[in-house]
Amino acid sequence: MNMLQIRNSGDRFEQLMPMLGRLWADEQFLDGELICSDGAVGFSSLILSCYSSYLHHLLLDAEQPVVSLKDFSTASVRQVIQVLHGGEPAVSVIDNSGEILQLLKILEI
């Protein structure tokens, strides 16, 4: 079972996700960076590796993971990472939906 399946199952996950979202928003326990065209977005390798076997293998042996996503803006990457870390999607997700879908496909989420 992966994180998306657990997330959709409800139960205690409903209580956990807001806490994870707050930790991400406060930039706590972030051990990696996604390098974008206009900056960087921090992430927890533990959380991201739960969503994708591709990311799991990519991040498994990295001490300080850095992933290059130079074709994407920090705004789009931040929106995806925010949701994966338990935050609520921003209203502007619709504005970047094409870029976000492309990013999800590349990350195999």
Side-chain angles (χ1 to χ4, degrees), residues 22-109:
R22 282 190 298 278
L23 289 173
W24 180 80
D26 293 340
E27 297 184 1
Q28 296 180 350
F29 302 103
L30 305 182
D31 61 350
E33 282 190 318
L34 299 168
I35 307 300
C36 307
S37 61
D38 57 345
V41 177
F43 69 90
S44 163
S45 58
L46 174 68
I47 300 296
L48 287 194
S49 67
C50 292
Y51 280 101
S52 159
S53 60
Y54 168 73
L55 289 172
H56 176 84
H57 292 293
L58 182 70
L59 301 171
L60 188 61
D61 295 324
E63 284 186 35
Q64 292 182 321
V66 176
V67 179
S68 179
L69 296 171
K70 294 281 188 180
D71 293 336
F72 298 94
S73 68
T74 55
S76 293
V77 171
R78 184 173 298 284
Q79 288 172 356
V80 169
I81 300 305
Q82 178 180 355
V83 171
L84 296 181
H85 280 77
E88 293 296 319
V91 175
S92 61
V93 165
I94 303 299
D95 298 338
N96 299 333
S97 60
E99 189 174 38
I100 289 172
L101 289 174
Q102 185 182 9
L103 176 60
L104 292 173
K105 183 176 179 181
I106 286 173
L107 297 178
E108 296 183 6
I109 297 173

